[in-house]
Amino acid sequence: MSRSLLKISLTDLFSVACPAFVSAQAPPGPMTGPPSQDAPHAAARPQAQKPALQPRTSIFGDWQLNRDDSDDPQKKMEEARSNRSNGNGGYGGNGPRVGFPGGGMGGGGLGGRRNGQQGESDEERQKMQELMNPGNRLTIAEATKNVEIDLTDDQQRRMALFTDGRKVQKSKDANNQEIAARWNGKQLATDEKGPRGNKMSRTYELSYDGTQLYETLHMTMGRSNATILIRYVYDASGAPPAAASAPVAAGTSTSVTAPKQ
């Protein structure tokens, strides 16, 4: 009797413990294998591409200042003063090109009382400020064919460049100037005076690929008339003007041939 009871108890205990043991040994769930090496990757988002700029054939049109490619005028002036103080005989014009610090133009303004020459007039300081602070946007348009080219920027400044040899009128308004100029092929150059009465000129010309405009300041400084060069680089902006005529050299004439009927 005792053996029969013991046998029944062991049987019941085994039947209870066995499922628990099996469930303890069983894995928690179906195991997923590593992702297949052949599985396609998630499609990368296509990056928006900038539209290709149409090369220009003249300097006319709208332009956007490229700060990275342009010279830093404050650094150029500092290099010039350093060269002069070191007895190098003048101002360097081929220094490294750097960006505009902090996205703007040099501190307290070049040509002011702190950085400029003592005894400068307000007009001279204003002229230097204009040279050292180019506009972010520049528009060049031919107002009168082979006579007048107008340059305007986003700082409400306007220059009327006359290429017909007339005697220009001097204006006291630094934001509205008349300047004598001339064409050298497709390069436009001015003839003017710097802030302290020294010779100065600006040249406007296209890059070799027609997508950039170079504005280069040529200034003579000091008694030795040493030259300092500052170049501003502009990128073509928007569509080129519909009719940008090429300059006509002085002394030449143009003729129009009627189309054949």
Side-chain angles (χ1 to χ4, degrees), residues 29-67:
M31 300 293 291
T32 57
S36 172
Q37 297 295 328
D38 298 331
H41 295 283
R45 294 182 180 179
Q47 295 182 354
Q49 295 184 350
K50 296 181 179 180
L53 291 175
Q54 183 176 350
R56 304 285 175 87
T57 58
S58 74
I59 65 173
F60 301 126
D62 295 327
W63 304 91
Q64 178 75 39
L65 180 66
N66 186 323
R67 296 182 180 275

Side-chain angles (χ1 to χ4, degrees), residues 77 91 128 131-132 194-195 198-201 217-221 225-230:
M77 296 297 289
Y91 294 80
M128 183 63 77
L131 295 173
M132 299 295 106
N198 295 340
K199 290 183 179 180
M200 187 192 83
S201 69
L217 302 181
H218 306 252
M219 294 187 290
T220 57
M221 310 286 285
N225 288 331
T227 302
I228 177 173
L229 304 179
I230 301 175

Side-chain angles (χ1 to χ4, degrees), residues 2-261:
S2 299
R3 289 181 179 179
S4 298
L5 293 173
L6 179 60
K7 186 176 182 180
I8 293 171
S9 300
L10 291 175
T11 301
D12 293 340
L13 179 62
F14 180 77
S15 63
V16 172
C18 218
F21 177 77
V22 172
S23 62
Q25 295 297 323
M31 300 293 291
T32 57
S36 172
Q37 297 295 328
D38 298 331
H41 295 283
R45 294 182 180 179
Q47 295 182 354
Q49 295 184 350
K50 296 181 179 180
L53 291 175
Q54 183 176 350
R56 304 285 175 87
T57 58
S58 74
I59 65 173
F60 301 126
D62 295 327
W63 304 91
Q64 178 75 39
L65 180 66
N66 186 323
R67 296 182 180 275
D68 293 332
D69 290 352
S70 298
D71 288 336
D72 180 349
Q74 183 180 20
K75 194 172 186 67
K76 282 286 189 175
M77 296 297 289
E78 290 173 353
E79 290 174 356
R81 295 189 186 98
S82 177
N83 289 338
R84 189 180 185 187
S85 63
N86 291 335
N88 292 342
Y91 294 80
N94 297 314
R97 293 182 181 179
V98 297
F100 295 84
M105 299 295 300
L110 294 174
R113 295 185 182 276
R114 181 167 59 89
N115 291 325
Q117 297 289 339
Q118 294 294 330
E120 283 184 340
S121 66
D122 291 340
E123 182 181 354
E124 290 170 341
R125 284 192 291 273
Q126 188 175 10
K127 177 72 171 180
M128 183 63 77
Q129 286 285 351
E130 183 263 325
L131 295 173
M132 299 295 106
N133 290 275
N136 290 317
R137 297 186 65 85
L138 178 67
T139 299
I140 304 178
E142 190 174 40
T144 306
K145 185 176 176 60
N146 299 322
V147 174
E148 179 183 350
I149 297 93
D150 288 346
L151 283 75
T152 56
D153 64 14
D154 58 344
Q155 299 184 37
Q156 307 301 317
R157 297 181 298 198
R158 173 183 173 271
M159 290 193 304
L161 308 185
F162 292 97
T163 60
D164 58 351
R166 73 176 63 186
K167 185 176 181 180
V168 297
Q169 301 295 322
K170 184 178 180 180
S171 173
K172 294 182 179 181
D173 183 2
N175 293 330
N176 193 358
Q177 294 287 321
E178 293 184 0
I179 298 174
R182 65 187 185 280
W183 287 105
N184 293 325
K186 291 187 177 182
Q187 181 191 78
L188 180 63
T190 68
D191 293 310
E192 49 188 311
K193 291 185 178 181
R196 297 186 63 82
N198 295 340
K199 290 183 179 180
M200 187 192 83
S201 69
R202 310 180 221 208
T203 59
Y204 300 88
E205 59 185 325
L206 285 175
S207 63
Y208 71 95
D209 60 357
T211 62
Q212 289 185 317
L213 172 75
Y214 299 148
E215 177 188 4
T216 307
L217 302 181
H218 306 252
M219 294 187 290
T220 57
M221 310 286 285
R223 295 180 179 178
S224 61
N225 288 331
T227 302
I228 177 173
L229 304 179
I230 301 175
R231 172 174 285 187
Y232 301 126
V233 180
Y234 294 84
D235 295 329
S237 177
S245 60
V248 178
T252 61
S253 60
T254 59
S255 61
V256 179
T257 304
K260 296 181 179 179
Q261 301 294 332

